[in-house]
């Protein structure tokens, strides 16, 4: 298995100042009320995009919206409720956005969870896999027709360096509380983000101007990293970067002209906008298997 070395380049390939004017662009960001997601929303809004901040906590989400309006002067930022622990909520959120009859140029799947306690979503799916992958899979699929109609468009899936520390996805034991340790559950979900991105490009975007890429934002000093139940936090804090710097690679994938100029699709990026190496297990076979497994799971849970 790959040995992981935690480093961040001193010189940034991309900065907030390089984000082009986004007037007329519409963006969705999950998990936008705090951390990386918040700064992603703020900078998109600062560059004149119409931004939808999606999150589970309405009070915190609305507060973030008002702060971003105040900081940027752009009033075109809105909150939409999204609980990724509930596939019904994901479906309702997508329907609420589609009812606005707006284009969608940028979709950023940023929200994520990790915990040392095994738990299930409202649909009975192991939580890290359910929130970090399945919920975003469904949201993206429900918005696909709108994204394709709005091209050129971008889809950005926030993964993590830890996706290289697993040898695949243990489909048969995802809901077994004793099958994997907590870090392995999280890492599997992050591998799923990369695999989903690759298969999305293969299935839907050949010949289209839709660019889906995944990324490692860096080891970011967020509340998640400092939680008492996140057992590797003390080791990683000395290597961490700020949430603002953590948003740079996401914004590179979402806005940089290089993505279209160099036809970057199905790529994986490290900080700060530098192409990185995917896991050896981020292969076509695993991507197709994950796609089929996820579709069947969603159909079963939603009764489709």
């Amino acid at each position: 298995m790959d040995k992981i070395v935690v480093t961040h380049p001193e010189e940034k390939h991309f900065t907030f100042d390089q984000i082009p004017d986004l007037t007329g662009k519409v963006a969705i960001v999950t998990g936008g009320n705090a951390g990386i997601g918040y700064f992603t929303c703020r900078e998109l809004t600062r560059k004149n995009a119409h931004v939808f901040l999606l999150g589970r906590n309405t009070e915190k989400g609305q507060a973030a919206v008002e702060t971003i309006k105040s900081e940027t002067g752009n009033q075109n930022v809105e909150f939409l409720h999204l609980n990724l622990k509930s596939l019904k909520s994901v479906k309702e959120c997508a329907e609420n956005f589609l009812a606005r009859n707006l284009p969608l140029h940028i979709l950023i799947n940023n929200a994520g969870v990790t915990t040392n306690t095994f738990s299930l979503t409202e649909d009975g799916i192991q939580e890290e896999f359910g929130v970090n992958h399945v919920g975003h899979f469904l949201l993206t699929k429900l918005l696909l027709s709108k994204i394709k109609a709005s091209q050129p468009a971008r889809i950005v899936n926030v993964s993590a360096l830890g996706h290289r520390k697993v040898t695949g996805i243990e489909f048969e034991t995802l809901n077994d509380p004793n099958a994997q340790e907590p870090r392995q559950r999280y890492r599997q979900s992050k591998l799923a983000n990369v695999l989903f991105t690759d298969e999305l490009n293969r299935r839907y975007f050949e010949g289209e101007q839709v660019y889906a890429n995944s990324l490692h934002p860096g080891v970011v000093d967020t509340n998640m990293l400092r939680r008492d139940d996140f057992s590797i936090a003390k080791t990683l804090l000395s290597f961490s970067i700020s949430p603002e710097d953590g948003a740079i690679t996401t914004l590179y994938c979402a806005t940089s002209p290089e993505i279209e100029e160099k036809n970057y699709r199905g790529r994986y990026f490290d900080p700060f906008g530098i192409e990185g190496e995917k896991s050896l297990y981020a292969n076509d076979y695993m991507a197709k298997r994950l796609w089929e497994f996820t579709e069947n799971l969603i159909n079963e849970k939603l009764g489709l």
Side-chain angles (χ1 to χ4, degrees):
M1 195 182 304
D2 306 73
K3 180 181 179 182
I4 290 183
V5 179
V6 179
T7 59
H8 300 105
E10 293 183 9
E11 185 176 344
K12 296 180 174 66
H13 175 68
F14 188 78
T15 65
F16 292 162
D17 291 340
Q18 292 172 270
I19 301 172
D21 179 63
L22 300 173
T23 299
K25 301 291 186 181
V26 179
I28 283 177
V29 183
T30 70
N33 67 289
I36 298 170
Y38 172 82
F39 291 107
T40 300
C41 289
R42 187 190 70 181
E43 295 308 310
L44 291 171
T45 306
R46 193 188 303 280
K47 292 294 185 171
N48 304 312
H50 186 164
V51 178
F52 287 84
L53 183 159
L54 276 52
R56 185 162 55 95
N57 188 309
T58 301
E59 183 178 351
K60 290 181 179 180
Q62 293 287 10
V65 163
E66 294 308 314
T67 302
I68 290 171
K69 286 180 178 179
S70 175
E71 288 184 326
T72 66
N74 181 354
Q75 302 303 299
N76 287 324
V77 54
E78 304 180 51
F79 174 78
L80 284 179
H81 181 264
L82 170 68
N83 179 6
L84 287 162
K85 295 182 182 182
S86 164
L87 295 177
K88 180 182 176 182
S89 174
V90 174
K91 189 170 181 288
E92 289 174 349
C93 180
E95 290 170 349
N96 287 339
F97 174 79
L98 292 172
R100 299 292 300 275
N101 199 29
L102 291 168
L104 178 56
H105 305 97
I106 301 169
L107 171 61
I108 300 175
N109 292 317
N110 165 81
V113 298
T114 183
T115 176
N116 271 354
T117 304
F118 182 88
S119 56
L120 301 175
T121 69
E122 294 180 16
D123 301 288
I125 305 169
Q126 185 261 310
E127 187 171 349
E128 282 91 342
F129 187 78
V131 170
N132 300 349
H133 168 62
V134 180
H136 285 124
F137 180 102
L138 178 60
L139 179 68
T140 304
K141 283 205 71 180
L142 292 171
L143 296 174
L144 268 183
S145 59
K146 180 63 70 175
I147 292 168
K148 290 181 75 170
S150 307
Q151 57 186 291
R154 312 277 181 94
I155 298 174
V156 182
N157 292 323
V158 179
S159 179
L161 188 63
H163 89 275
R164 287 167 44 191
K165 293 289 284 182
V166 289
T167 58
I169 296 173
E170 303 297 329
F171 297 100
E172 293 79 11
T173 58
L174 279 172
N175 274 23
D176 183 346
N178 302 310
Q180 294 98 28
E181 64 164 324
R183 280 179 291 179
Q184 295 302 91
R185 294 196 295 266
Y186 177 73
R187 289 164 176 169
Q188 282 190 118
S189 74
K190 295 289 101 179
L191 175 59
N193 296 149
V194 176
L195 293 167
F196 170 50
T197 306
D198 293 350
E199 191 67 8
L200 191 61
N201 279 294
R202 280 191 287 268
R203 287 179 181 250
Y204 290 99
F205 301 144
E206 185 176 351
E208 306 282 350
Q209 287 185 289
V210 181
Y211 306 85
N213 294 288
S214 59
L215 65 100
H216 165 52
V219 178
V220 183
D221 186 2
T222 60
N223 291 335
M224 182 180 80
L225 195 64
R226 290 183 173 274
R227 278 186 0 224
D228 291 338
D229 68 340
F230 197 39
S231 58
I232 57 176
K234 291 182 180 179
T235 305
L236 293 181
L237 274 172
S238 60
F239 299 101
S240 65
I241 58 177
S242 70
E244 286 162 290
D245 278 354
I248 289 175
T249 310
T250 300
L251 288 161
Y252 170 78
C253 292
T255 70
S256 173
E258 279 191 352
I259 299 295
E260 292 177 29
E261 290 167 1
K262 298 184 177 181
N263 196 30
Y264 285 150
R265 55 182 80 220
R267 305 295 183 94
Y268 169 82
F269 292 92
D270 285 328
F272 297 96
I274 301 295
E275 189 169 1
E277 292 186 12
K278 303 175 190 176
S279 165
L280 296 174
Y281 299 93
N283 54 53
D284 291 357
Y285 167 78
M286 187 65 69
K288 290 175 183 175
R289 188 177 178 196
L290 173 67
W291 188 283
E292 292 167 0
F293 177 87
T294 309
E295 279 196 329
N296 290 336
L297 183 63
I298 290 172
N299 291 343
E300 173 193 331
K301 299 301 182 181
L302 289 180
L304 299 178

